Amino acid sequence: MTRELTDAAFLADFAELSAIGATAAGGVHREAATAADGHAREWLRAWFVEHGLHPRVDAVGNMYGCVEVAAGAPYVLLGSHLDSQPTSGRFDGAYGVLAGAYAAATVAAEVADRPGAARHNVAAVNWFNEEGSRFSPSLMGSAVYVGKTTADAVLDTVGKDGVSVRDALSRIGFQGDDVAPPANSYAEIHIEQGRTLEDEGLDIGVVTSNWAAYKYVVTVHGEQSHTGATHMRYRRDALVGASQVVLAVRAVADEFGLDTVLGSVGRFTVEPNSPVVVPARVRLAADLRALDGETVEAAHLSFLNKIADITGAGEVTVEIESAALRPSTRYQDSGIALAGTVADDLGLRWRAMPTMAGHDSVNLKELVPTVMLFIPSIDGVSHNEREFSTDAQMLAGLHTLTETARRMVTGALETAHVS
Amino acid sequence: MTRELTDAAFLADFAELSAIGATAAGGVHREAATAADGHAREWLRAWFVEHGLHPRVDAVGNMYGCVEVAAGAPYVLLGSHLDSQPTSGRFDGAYGVLAGAYAAATVAAEVADRPGAARHNVAAVNWFNEEGSRFSPSLMGSAVYVGKTTADAVLDTVGKDGVSVRDALSRIGFQGDDVAPPANSYAEIHIEQGRTLEDEGLDIGVVTSNWAAYKYVVTVHGEQSHTGATHMRYRRDALVGASQVVLAVRAVADEFGLDTVLGSVGRFTVEPNSPVVVPARVRLAADLRALDGETVEAAHLSFLNKIADITGAGEVTVEIESAALRPSTRYQDSGIALAGTVADDLGLRWRAMPTMAGHDSVNLKELVPTVMLFIPSIDGVSHNEREFSTDAQMLAGLHTLTETARRMVTGALETAHVS
């Protein structure tokens, strides 16, 4: 016997889920495969069971709640991720997982009463380590699912705390051995994490493509010495060089004018990091992003020139350990059209738009037709405990995802290609 | 029965001590009250016992090796510190502790055979946490000894790993309850950590004063957001602001011309420090140093102006949590004259000079007449595994310290004042 799937139940369940790993300021701190993430996963597994979804956990901790409504057919997957950044918001990822679970349970219950209506099976999904804050890179679980990396490579990855993915997942009891359900198609709903929908008074964003991104790992090499006894002309201060790199990234972003290029350094680790020691090394993670590939390549070249200037000044050596391009690619037109029709049919105000941030759907769209939906983020605040969307915004999104899933399960995306 | 106190024994003992907490590159990693520091302390305590020095450990882990040769009299203290910076050199501090122990044992054995010769008792000393890398601030044990802070304040201090001094000392068995021996005077020998002695072909430096230093704890406040979804104009990036602070410190040092002001940021900690999160906060430790108080005050004002400009630009707020001045003060003339005479008598080339770096003797000279000696540091390299002084340089220093101690114990510094 499944439990009710009402709007009120959704909001109550979202509040319950948000309490797991909650911070005093209204956010969550639930990094991948930590104890808090484990509790959220246990909560979701119980939810799956109570609502008639059959839990599966694959080798890299991706969780599926499966319902077989079309024997032997591949699955419409609906989901997002439960892990969070440190001291982050409660909506990012978790909203999409719960909405996916509600949509899956709702559609499964409907088609169960109408033999032959379902052309595909349906499953909710919680992808492992979308955020990449504890284990780098991000989008890990979905990358294994689509074959961009291997389960072994992911399991061997060691996090910032020195623990491997294998050990971290084992400790929380989520390194599974279930076979992942094969996909027919995928839909994900997420907060926008920007201000476009709010500024334009819209309910829904239908994502057309992802921004291109260069992600860098950079090490600045200097030489350790005494801050109190080493004259300035003898110094090779890695922190001075790394500070120049941070400002170079900012300068690249500024060169391209308003809202064109994003540039940031998020992780920045100083060695040996003692008050009276001139730093020997700084390791940092930088990114440069733009809507189109041409612009991001121009930003990349500008960054390389600036790095060469910093090394050329002679105090430090800046080593680019890796520079990985995530290209801008489109979501399938069939999915964009479907989601737009659904929003129209529901009387919602929507627009097509790119996603600036990465999402698991960026991986999934390489494998199967994929629909990506946004709801508004108040003030565009994200990766911050003040992240917020209203109940009405969440429910409008839930209804859009559910109706989209309903049509996908009954065959609306039959232009599907397979990998 | 005490063991031999020859030059060869000193060098062999220094090699043994250097093996404790040794790094592959020839340095040591022996931060205060870590297991490695504990092993070095056990080694020193055994050395004290084998050589007739009676071990005492006070409440904040200062270790003394005492010999009573003048019943009831205060002590000539001879020492330095065994703790090191992370991945640092094997000479900094440890050389001075071992030289102090040799000098104390040598002089004690001599005067024991000549009743009435000693006007003071003698003790070797290993001060707790000179470096300040694990527990801030530096010069902790000697600060308690001279009454600049309290044992309770030090014991309650929590280190960068979340462990208190009390717990850390207890774990290694060095939170003692012995009474510290009262001081008549103090002598310390240390590597120069600069290039002056080497450049001028000298054997010994006799320290006349310490450089003035401003030490700052600064927090840069921004706002956490998503590196991939937040347009640049909405960002308040604490790492960009903190990078500007690092370059401001460098600019202040450069303003004053060659070898006049030192400026550095050594500790720099980013929160939340995730690759895809715009940093919310950076906490950093900065210092500005100059020989004289007037110059360091001018540098301080220049720094404050630059900080105000960074906050004034509007993206971040720079908060100076603390700004502590260590003034430049002189070592007592009587001690400078004594050490110079000893060096002349030994036929060594020496000069008077200030110390740029802080030392425990900077604290002790506020309490009792204090002699501070330097030996050359090859290339001036310090707080680095490549730190090096030759055997001949170490032995010339040992002989100078021993002869200075011999004269101090027999009454050469009778201009002594007490606190």
Side-chain angles (χ1 to χ4, degrees):
Chain A
M1 187 61 192
T2 59
R3 291 173 45 179
E4 64 176 358
L5 294 162
T6 62
D7 288 353
F10 177 86
L11 295 174
D13 279 340
F14 185 71
E16 232 180 87
L17 177 56
S18 300
I20 301 173
T23 65
V28 294
H29 190 132
R30 218 163 52 197
E31 289 183 275
T34 56
D37 185 36
H39 297 148
R41 288 166 163 269
E42 287 161 9
W43 184 92
L44 181 66
R45 182 162 51 193
W47 194 100
F48 283 168
V49 171
E50 283 174 21
H51 294 80
L53 309 185
H54 302 290
R56 295 191 201 174
V57 180
D58 71 16
V60 294
N62 294 319
M63 296 175 65
Y64 311 90
C66 302
V67 190
E68 194 153 11
V69 286
Y75 284 73
V76 175
L77 298 180
L78 307 168
S80 192
H81 61 94
L82 287 181
D83 72 310
S84 86
Q85 291 287 334
T87 59
S88 196
R90 64 189 190 272
F91 299 85
D92 181 352
Y95 164 66
V97 171
L98 190 63
Y102 263 78
T106 300
V107 171
E110 290 168 1
V111 295
D113 295 337
R114 295 161 45 212
R119 295 185 56 104
H120 311 292
N121 292 308
V122 63
V125 57
N126 166 33
W127 301 111
F128 171 66
N129 187 32
E130 193 267 355
E131 294 290 1
S133 60
R134 182 179 181 196
F135 303 104
S136 185
S138 56
L139 311 184
M140 232 175 213
S142 59
V144 173
Y145 186 87
V146 304
K148 281 175 73 171
T149 185
T150 65
D152 278 342
V154 160
L155 292 168
D156 289 343
T157 300
V158 174
K160 61 183 176 183
D161 52 3
V163 178
S164 70
V165 168
R166 181 178 281 104
D167 290 347
L169 282 173
S170 293
R171 283 179 203 172
I172 61 166
F174 279 91
Q175 205 233 318
D177 53 10
D178 296 326
V179 174
N184 161 267
S185 52
Y186 178 63
E188 176 168 358
I189 192 164
H190 203 279
I191 58 168
E192 181 196 342
Q193 306 178 289
R195 299 177 184 231
T196 304
L197 294 176
E198 186 190 18
D199 286 352
E200 299 182 5
L202 302 176
D203 305 305
I204 296 291
V206 177
V207 178
T208 52
S209 66
N210 61 289
W211 274 41
Y214 261 104
K215 298 200 171 192
Y216 305 93
V217 176
V218 173
T219 298
V220 181
H221 300 273
E223 186 165 51
Q224 190 167 326
S225 61
H226 191 308
T227 67
T230 312
H231 278 303
M232 304 308 291
R233 61 195 155 114
Y234 299 120
R235 296 194 182 197
R236 297 185 56 220
D237 188 331
L239 180 54
V240 166
S243 295
Q244 292 166 338
V245 172
V246 170
L247 298 182
V249 171
R250 169 60 66 91
V252 170
D254 289 346
E255 277 168 13
F256 288 80
L258 203 61
D259 298 352
T260 306
V261 169
L262 302 181
S264 327
V265 175
R267 179 169 286 163
F268 187 100
T269 304
V270 179
E271 293 175 36
N273 210 29
S274 175
V276 292
V277 178
V278 174
R281 261 175 311 284
V282 177
R283 197 145 189 266
L284 60 91
D287 55 34
L288 287 169
R289 303 178 193 231
L291 175 57
D292 62 281
E294 205 171 317
T295 306
V296 88
E297 290 293 347
H300 174 61
L301 285 179
S302 174
F303 181 55
L304 295 184
N305 284 334
K306 288 178 169 58
I307 293 300
D309 288 346
I310 294 168
T311 292
E315 180 167 349
V316 299
T317 305
V318 183
E319 175 195 359
I320 298 185
E321 290 184 32
S322 63
L325 174 65
R326 181 163 72 205
S328 172
T329 57
R330 279 187 66 79
Y331 287 76
Q332 288 81 4
D333 288 336
S334 56
I336 297 167
L338 170 63
T341 303
V342 167
D344 281 337
D345 291 351
L346 294 177
L348 298 171
R349 295 153 299 177
W350 67 279
R351 63 166 283 171
M353 61 190 297
T355 175
M356 296 168 75
H359 295 288
D360 291 308
S361 70
V362 174
N363 279 333
L364 268 291
K365 73 171 154 48
E366 305 300 320
L367 184 67
V368 289
T370 293
V371 176
M372 180 84 206
L373 301 170
F374 280 163
I375 63 168
S377 299
I378 301 300
D379 293 336
V381 171
S382 186
H383 286 186
N384 182 307
E385 292 162 288
R386 295 194 300 104
E387 192 178 83
F388 188 66
S389 301
T390 67
D391 289 354
Q393 288 166 338
M394 285 202 288
L395 294 174
L398 172 63
H399 302 156
T400 307
L401 179 70
T402 304
E403 182 56 30
T404 302
R406 187 177 281 127
R407 298 186 193 187
M408 287 164 76
V409 169
T410 53
L413 284 186
E414 293 318 303
T415 57
H417 65 268
V418 291
S419 67
Chain B
M1 187 59 194
T2 59
R3 292 176 42 180
E4 63 174 358
L5 293 162
T6 61
D7 288 353
F10 177 86
L11 295 174
D13 278 341
F14 185 71
E16 231 179 89
L17 176 56
S18 300
I20 302 172
T23 65
V28 294
H29 191 133
R30 218 162 53 196
E31 289 184 274
T34 57
D37 185 37
H39 296 147
R41 288 165 162 270
E42 287 161 10
W43 184 92
L44 181 67
R45 182 161 53 194
W47 194 100
F48 283 168
V49 171
E50 283 175 19
H51 294 81
L53 308 186
H54 302 290
R56 296 191 201 173
V57 180
D58 71 16
V60 295
N62 295 320
M63 296 176 65
Y64 310 91
C66 302
V67 189
E68 195 154 8
V69 287
Y75 284 73
V76 175
L77 298 181
L78 307 168
S80 191
H81 61 94
L82 287 180
D83 73 309
S84 86
Q85 293 287 335
T87 58
S88 195
R90 63 189 190 271
F91 299 86
D92 181 352
Y95 165 66
V97 170
L98 191 62
Y102 263 78
T106 301
V107 172
E110 291 168 0
V111 296
D113 295 337
R114 295 160 46 210
R119 295 184 57 104
H120 311 292
N121 291 308
V122 62
V125 57
N126 166 33
W127 302 111
F128 171 65
N129 188 32
E130 194 267 355
E131 294 290 1
S133 59
R134 182 179 182 194
F135 304 103
S136 184
S138 56
L139 312 183
M140 234 176 211
S142 58
V144 173
Y145 186 87
V146 303
K148 283 175 71 171
T149 185
T150 65
D152 278 343
V154 160
L155 292 169
D156 290 343
T157 301
V158 174
K160 61 182 175 182
D161 51 4
V163 178
S164 70
V165 168
R166 182 178 279 104
D167 290 346
L169 281 173
S170 294
R171 282 180 203 171
I172 60 166
F174 279 91
Q175 205 234 318
D177 54 10
D178 296 325
V179 174
N184 161 267
S185 52
Y186 178 63
E188 176 168 358
I189 192 162
H190 203 279
I191 57 168
E192 180 196 342
Q193 306 178 289
R195 300 176 184 232
T196 304
L197 295 177
E198 186 190 19
D199 286 351
E200 300 182 3
L202 303 176
D203 305 306
I204 297 290
V206 177
V207 177
T208 52
S209 66
N210 61 289
W211 274 41
Y214 261 105
K215 298 199 171 193
Y216 306 92
V217 176
V218 173
T219 300
V220 180
H221 301 274
E223 186 165 52
Q224 190 168 328
S225 61
H226 192 308
T227 67
T230 312
H231 278 301
M232 303 308 291
R233 62 196 156 114
Y234 298 121
R235 296 194 181 196
R236 296 185 57 222
D237 187 331
L239 180 54
V240 166
S243 296
Q244 292 166 337
V245 172
V246 170
L247 298 182
V249 171
R250 170 58 65 93
V252 170
D254 289 346
E255 276 168 14
F256 287 81
L258 202 60
D259 296 354
T260 305
V261 169
L262 302 181
S264 327
V265 176
R267 179 170 285 163
F268 188 100
T269 305
V270 178
E271 293 175 36
N273 210 29
S274 175
V276 292
V277 178
V278 175
R281 260 175 315 282
V282 176
R283 197 146 189 267
L284 60 91
D287 55 34
L288 287 169
R289 303 178 193 232
L291 175 57
D292 63 282
E294 206 171 314
T295 306
V296 87
E297 290 295 347
H300 173 61
L301 286 179
S302 173
F303 181 55
L304 294 184
N305 284 334
K306 288 178 168 59
I307 293 298
D309 288 346
I310 294 168
T311 293
E315 179 166 349
V316 299
T317 305
V318 183
E319 176 195 358
I320 298 186
E321 289 185 33
S322 64
L325 174 65
R326 181 163 72 204
S328 171
T329 57
R330 279 187 64 81
Y331 287 77
Q332 288 82 3
D333 289 335
S334 56
I336 296 168
L338 171 63
T341 302
V342 167
D344 281 338
D345 290 351
L346 295 178
L348 297 171
R349 295 153 298 177
W350 67 279
R351 63 166 283 171
M353 61 190 298
T355 174
M356 295 168 74
H359 295 288
D360 291 307
S361 71
V362 174
N363 278 333
L364 267 292
K365 75 169 153 48
E366 304 301 319
L367 185 66
V368 289
T370 293
V371 176
M372 179 84 206
L373 301 170
F374 279 164
I375 63 167
S377 300
I378 301 301
D379 292 337
V381 171
S382 186
H383 287 187
N384 182 307
E385 293 163 288
R386 293 195 299 105
E387 194 177 81
F388 187 66
S389 301
T390 66
D391 289 354
Q393 288 166 338
M394 285 203 286
L395 293 175
L398 173 62
H399 302 156
T400 307
L401 178 70
T402 303
E403 182 56 29
T404 301
R406 188 176 280 127
R407 298 186 192 187
M408 288 164 75
V409 169
T410 54
L413 285 185
E414 292 321 304
T415 57
H417 65 267
V418 291
S419 67

